[in-house]
Every structure is written in structure tokens, then in C-alpha cells.
Amino acid sequence: MDISMVIRQDEHLAIRGGPPIVPTGLKRRWPDIRPEDKAAVLAVLDRGELTGVQGVEATSLEREWAARLSVEHAILFNSGTAAIHAALYAVGVEAGDEVITTAFSFSGTFQAILHQAAIPVFVDIDPATYNLDPSLIEARITPRTKALLPVHIHGMPCDMDAILEIARRHSLTVVEDAAQAHLATYRDRYVGTLGRAGAFSVQATKNLSGVEGGFVVTNDQEVADRAREIRTYGERIDEGDDLGGWYFRPYTAYSVGWNYRSNELSAAFARSQLRRLDEYTEIAQRNGRLLNQALGMIPGIAPPVEPTDRTSVFHKYRVRFDVQRLGLSVPPVEFRARLMAALRAEGVDAVLWHTEPMTSYPIFQTHDGFGHGYPWSLAPGSGGVNPAEYRRAIDLLDSSLIICDEVHPIMIQPVELMEAYAAAFAKVLLDPGALMAD
């Protein structure tokens, strides 16, 4: 698409009273709820069995997700955060251990580490992929380091060969946070299946929607067993156990555990959605690549990269801008606000998803929740995180925004809407300085 032909030089910005360029009525809402989804949920209500770790919907969903990824085990949880925590527990992360992860992710990543009374240790990002930079990992490794927790942010796979090689040299375990990366691939293998364990989310906004929920996936029987143990109060309920009825279990606790189990209604909805995940993935990739091509033609705009050895699923489509290349001398956050307002006036769903990296959060200075003793007392140095060390993550979030919001995400939108969004970018950036005029 030649976006230079879509608009005229003299067309007024919608934010200045001109006509919006994005037609109304094109946006499609998420989750994509169809009659078969409703029937699946109603069938659970008719059956009357709404919960239980051996429920027919939960166990069927586990088998189907394991089969889709070609892994031995998929264990269903009530959230992606619970799944990350369970994976860390299952691979042997203990209180006081250090887990190295990225500075840029959702807080569920580091909270899962804290739930295990372990210490999150951060590295800055690769500015191209927004994932953790493997070249920075080894400087953070100490005798307390137990695991690496890469995050495939926005559906873009990390450089897993480099990460796995570092883990091998230092005898560390790799747990993948693939919460946003269903069916994303690294060298023709699905992310989440490359480390010793992987964790997915099936919260309602994810490419695979299950209302709320998550998975631990693994090929390691011991990891699977321990993940199941922590899921239900430390009880040992093996896959396929006959519990004498959906409502019964022995209740014998063998370890610390949580109430992390899912439910039959969410599982039934996720099973129905899973049957269309390939369709949604194809739409997301088509739309992401269309936008990449179109926005890449605009000077000063940097769409997401997709390295040749990886496939992104574009869970979130983040667009970066360079104020200097746009001919401006203003703070990026100031231009970001003006750009977002202009795009929204044109009908584009332009939003923010995080305005600061996790390393800037107050918790890493106050240590609120645990206090100033254990495990913080074991953390490197004073135990505080210096936000200024994560300049790349800060710069990314200051100079970027997300296109397509969680109500109208990229994986369900028609081509015509993406073409209109690209045209809106071209329109508002014909004269970037005009956006800064009062």
C-alpha cells in the first residue's frame, strides 16, 4: 500500500476540526465470542460440574494445549502469574535465590519471583526487539543465581539460543514467560517449549482467551508433578487420578501450596477459542506485517522488527518514534502525548501500555510487602534497584505507543482498518511540527 497516495497535503487534521480518516464501523471487539463459545459454556452449566482439578473441560484443555505445542505436559492454572510462580517452584527456585529477568514486562513477571521469596535481578533490553539483552546477563550472575526468566514481550521471541547457552555455561535453569506469545516461534519451535518450563496466560486480552487462566508447559515429568502439587495446596493429585467424583480429593498436603486451580467455565471457553487460535494468529501476523511495511516508509517512525529466525504474534503492536528524525527538539513524552491525541482524533486506537519499566517501580526502593529483611537483605548491594541503569527500557517507553487497544486488538481486525490506521499515521506526520502547535 502506497500511503502517500491516500491523503492530500492540505487535508486538515481531525484534531484541528478536519474529518477523521478512519471509517467508523470497522473495529472488531475482543474476545471474539461466537455461538460455539456460548454453547461450550452453557454445556458446563447444564452439566453442573463447575470446578475440580480433574474436571473434563480443564483436563481436556490441558491435553489439547500440550498437543498443539507438541509437549508432554500442560498444567492449567487460574492465571499466567500463578503459572510463572508454579514453574519457578517446580524447577527448584527457593527462597533467597536470584532470578534474572528483563526490566520491561508486566509486573506479574517479577511478582511471581517474589511469591517464591526469591529475588528478581534485572537486565536492560535489546532496543530492537524490546526483550532482555542476552549480552547483559552474565554481568548479573552471582553465586545465588538459580534461573533465567526471559519474557517474550508483545509476542516477539527472545534470542533463545544465546540465553540457553548462557544457562548451560553457568548451570542455570531457564523458565520462559510466554504470557503474550502463543504460537510465536524461534527457529521453527514454539516459544515456551525451549526452556525447562514455560508459562502462558489465557487471560481475556491474550491471543488465546480463556477469561482468566494460565499454563505451565514442560517435557519434564518432575517439573509437571511439582507444578500440580503447588496448584492445589501442596496436594499430590496426579494427572488422570480417579478422585471418586469431581468434588472429592484426599486433602493431604505434602508441601507449601496455593489455590491456583482454574474452573470448568473458563476452561470450556478457552477450549472453544483454541480451535480458532491459528486463525487469530494469521490475522495478527498479516496485520502486523502490513503495518510494518507501511509505517516503515515514514521517516522517524520505527515499527516492530521481526528477525528472520523468529515469528512474532504481535500481541501488542508498539510503534517507536525519533523526535530528532522528525525534525523536533521536544521531550519525547511531550510529542508522544500530541501524537497519540492526533491519532485518536483520526479514529486510531492509540494507547499506552506501561509508561515506565518495572525497575522504576517504588516497590524496588521501599520493599513494601516483605519489609527490609529477608529476602531483600540477601539482594545484591543494598537491595535497591537503580532505575537509571535501565536507560534503554526507559527510552523505549518514553518514545513509543501501542496501536490497537485491548478491546480492539490486532488479532481480530480487518485489513481495511489497518490500511486506515497507516493512512492516519501518514496524515498526522506530514508536518510533525504542526502537532506541537497550540
Side-chain angles (χ1 to χ4, degrees), residues 138 148 159-172 174:
E138 289 187 283
L148 306 181
D159 184 352
M160 289 303 298
D161 278 356
I163 292 167
L164 290 167
E165 175 57 22
I166 292 168
R168 186 195 63 79
R169 287 201 306 269
H170 295 273
S171 300
L172 303 176
V174 175

Side-chain angles (χ1 to χ4, degrees), residues 274-312:
L274 177 56
R275 296 183 183 105
R276 301 195 299 273
L277 180 58
D278 286 278
E279 174 188 342
Y280 299 139
T281 302
E282 290 174 5
I283 293 171
Q285 291 175 334
R286 177 202 68 196
N287 289 345
R289 290 162 187 166
L290 184 153
L291 287 175
N292 277 2
Q293 183 177 17
L295 300 186
M297 298 166 56
I298 303 175
I301 295 297
V305 302
E306 192 177 20
T308 57
D309 61 352
R310 306 169 216 185
T311 63
S312 175

Side-chain angles (χ1 to χ4, degrees), residues 12 71 91 105 140 143 239 305 311 324 392 434:
H12 292 298
V71 295
V91 302
S105 181
R140 299 293 192 185
E239 183 178 17
V305 302
T311 63
Q324 291 185 334
R392 294 178 188 172

